[in-house]
Amino acid sequence: DVKVTQSSRYLVKRTGEKVFLECVQDMDHENMFWYRQDPGLGLRLIYFSYDVKMKEKGDIPEGYSVSREKKERFSLILESASTNQTSMYLCASSLLGQALNQPQHFGDGTRLSIL
Amino acid sequence: KNQVEQSPQSLIILEGKNCTLQCNYTVSPFSNLRWYKQDTGRGPVSLTIMTFSENTKSNGRYTATLDADTKQSSLHITASQLSDSASYICVVSLSGGYNKLIFGAGTRLAVHP
């Protein structure tokens, strides 16, 4: 089974801090994604990557950056955390041919609170 | 605007009963439609994926249907179990580019004994 592991289940940080969320997948997937999930809203894409050192902005990239130095690892960085970034963050991975019925496999999420 | 709308927002049923969740979408160009199950405190897990040419797909007690003409999908759960309590998320994939996913807000299902 595909395993996507997020380093922290819960995280509490202060406004203005630089925050790192880490994600590792063990199935050699080319694509990796970061989403945030807020109550009453569908998942929204922050950034995705289709290869090492490659990144593309999603729908809500403002205030975030990403890093993909190795194929299995995709990091989300909050440059200067703000309270409106309090949310559940989900990492996902998939094979490159997403249109060909390849599902995205999700981690269990990091619930981030910014105080 | 690309949108996926699910109904109802929440649903309570008794164990052993059947239920149907609805999904309407206005997404173009369409590639495929997915249903995910998300247990509380966990990440979503894929249940089914259907392309334009498929109008039904089953995964155990879960059966998804797709009407590409009316842009509607449903997820039918048969003989519900307590473990079916979860959020069910309808997701539509756009064709082209990186095959962006449009997520619905989900239906929260509670199965009571």
Side-chain angles (χ1 to χ4, degrees):
Chain A
D1 270 357
V2 175
K3 193 160 179 65
V4 179
T5 303
Q6 295 184 230
S7 55
S8 305
R9 293 297 303 275
Y10 301 94
L11 209 53
V12 180
K13 296 292 182 180
R14 296 211 173 271
T15 303
E17 280 192 71
K18 191 168 186 176
V19 181
F20 294 84
L21 303 183
E22 305 287 345
C23 175
V24 177
Q25 51 93 4
D26 66 358
M27 284 302 292
D28 203 34
H29 283 173
E30 293 88 358
N31 294 336
M32 295 190 74
F33 307 84
W34 275 106
Y35 295 92
R36 64 177 282 174
Q37 184 175 33
D38 298 294
L41 299 178
L43 273 69
R44 292 179 292 168
L45 181 65
I46 304 171
Y47 267 97
F48 74 100
S49 168
Y50 54 88
D51 201 354
V52 175
K53 296 193 185 297
M54 305 304 291
K55 60 184 179 183
E56 295 285 344
K57 293 180 180 179
D59 297 319
I60 51 167
E62 297 78 18
Y64 303 94
S65 62
V66 290
S67 172
R68 193 163 181 204
E69 297 296 318
K70 294 184 178 181
K71 190 175 185 179
E72 68 270 19
R73 186 179 296 271
F74 194 34
S75 303
L76 179 69
I77 304 156
L78 285 66
E79 298 290 345
S80 177
S82 64
T83 55
N84 62 13
Q85 293 177 309
T86 291
S87 186
M88 168 72 88
Y89 290 87
L90 288 163
C91 175
S93 73
S94 73
L95 289 168
L96 191 60
Q98 186 167 280
L100 303 178
N101 304 336
Q102 298 297 326
Q104 287 190 11
H105 299 268
F106 286 85
D108 282 336
T110 295
R111 188 165 293 281
L112 175 64
S113 296
I114 307 296
L115 305 180
Chain B
K1 183 181 177 184
N2 290 317
Q3 277 187 311
V4 176
E5 296 185 348
Q6 294 186 242
S7 62
Q9 277 189 317
S10 61
L11 183 62
I12 300 173
I13 62 173
L14 293 177
E15 187 178 13
K17 298 296 186 182
N18 303 335
C19 69
T20 300
L21 313 181
Q22 301 290 345
C23 173
N24 296 334
Y25 62 93
T26 54
V27 174
S28 181
F30 175 91
S31 176
N32 58 63
L33 186 143
R34 307 150 184 238
W35 283 94
Y36 279 84
K37 178 187 180 189
Q38 185 175 20
D39 293 318
T40 301
R42 305 298 297 273
V45 174
S46 179
L47 292 175
T48 63
I49 299 177
M50 289 183 291
T51 61
F52 184 87
S53 60
E54 296 174 296
N55 56 21
T56 187
K57 183 165 276 190
S58 292
N59 179 356
R61 294 179 297 103
Y62 301 102
T63 299
T65 64
L66 173 63
D67 186 334
D69 292 331
T70 62
K71 299 188 177 182
Q72 295 180 324
S73 177
S74 65
L75 181 69
H76 185 74
I77 304 174
T78 303
S80 61
Q81 300 176 359
L82 298 178
S83 59
D84 292 330
S85 295
S87 287
Y88 291 86
I89 304 172
C90 177
V91 186
V92 179
S93 174
L94 290 159
S95 65
Y98 69 90
N99 305 114
K100 179 178 180 177
L101 298 182
I102 310 296
F103 289 80
T107 292
R108 182 171 292 278
L109 174 66
V111 180
H112 289 183

